[in-house]
Amino acid sequence: MKSKILAIAVAAGTVVAGSLFSAPAHAQLTANQDVDVEINVPEVLFLRTFQTISLDISEAELGGVTTGGVGQDYNNPALTDGTTTIDQTSPFAALSAGTITKNVAELYAVWSNNPGGATITLTASTPGLTSAGGATATIANVTNTGTDPTTAIGLQTPYVGGADIEFDLSTATEAGLYNGGIINVSVATP
């Protein structure tokens, strides 16, 4: 029995000693490294306008000589002996001056991520307007009221601009709606 106990003790000692000397040390090892990230965003351009501009010309813009559509005055000289000619100068001074300008505060919105901004051009591509009876009016000039952006506009908040539109009503001989004119809004990036 002594030899059995001795054999068990030797075997147990071998196992304990083996685990002490053969077990590797478990030190915690870590490594980290920064990784660069890139994305490539495409250049985009988006233009929004109104489909139709519908403007009213007021009596005041025609010269302010009428109220409720009616006006009157006396000739100068006010007396005729039957041979005096009547003054044929139009009381509608605005028409005699050439054009009537109407402002459109916001005509277009532009979104763009081009770093050089954008150039916005307004032109009267079809300047003629016609009434139902055949009278005509003309878009004499269109002016962009905004200043072209020179840096990236961005894709969240647009660049908004308007226009001053000059109308020549010298041949607009009748009241009513005149249509058919077209203004082109063009946006270009550098």
Side-chain angles (χ1 to χ4, degrees):
M1 173 109 157
K2 202 174 177 194
S3 49
K4 277 188 184 183
I5 293 177
L6 184 59
I8 291 174
V10 169
T14 302
V15 169
V16 170
S19 67
L20 286 176
F21 295 110
S22 67
H26 289 292
Q28 183 175 359
L29 302 174
T30 61
N32 66 61
Q33 182 168 309
D34 291 336
V35 177
D36 293 337
V37 177
E38 294 181 345
I39 60 172
N40 187 13
V41 178
E43 180 179 343
V44 294
L45 172 66
F46 190 91
L47 169 65
R48 178 175 291 151
T49 66
F50 293 98
Q51 184 174 358
T52 303
I53 301 169
S54 182
L55 302 170
D56 290 327
I57 305 292
S58 71
E59 289 182 55
E61 290 169 315
L62 292 176
V65 294
T66 59
T67 302
V70 177
Q72 61 190 27
D73 70 2
Y74 291 109
N75 189 62
N76 185 10
L79 177 68
T80 182
D81 62 5
T83 61
T84 308
T85 58
I86 196 159
D87 182 3
Q88 295 182 27
T89 304
S90 175
F92 299 97
L95 296 178
S96 300
T99 60
I100 294 173
T101 301
K102 297 295 285 185
N103 178 262
V104 178
E106 294 187 1
L107 176 60
Y108 59 85
V110 176
W111 290 263
S112 173
N113 59 359
N114 182 290
T119 302
I120 297 106
T121 306
L122 308 178
T123 56
S125 54
T126 304
L129 299 104
T130 307
S131 71
T136 60
T138 305
I139 300 170
N141 191 35
V142 182
T143 304
N144 184 3
T145 58
T147 302
D148 290 343
T150 57
T151 59
I153 298 166
L155 303 180
Q156 292 297 312
T157 303
Y159 174 77
V160 177
D164 282 335
I165 307 170
E166 294 179 41
F167 294 95
D168 179 349
L169 302 181
S170 61
T171 58
T173 56
E174 65 184 36
L177 181 66
Y178 288 70
N179 57 20
I182 297 174
I183 292 175
N184 178 269
V185 180
S186 173
V187 181
T189 58

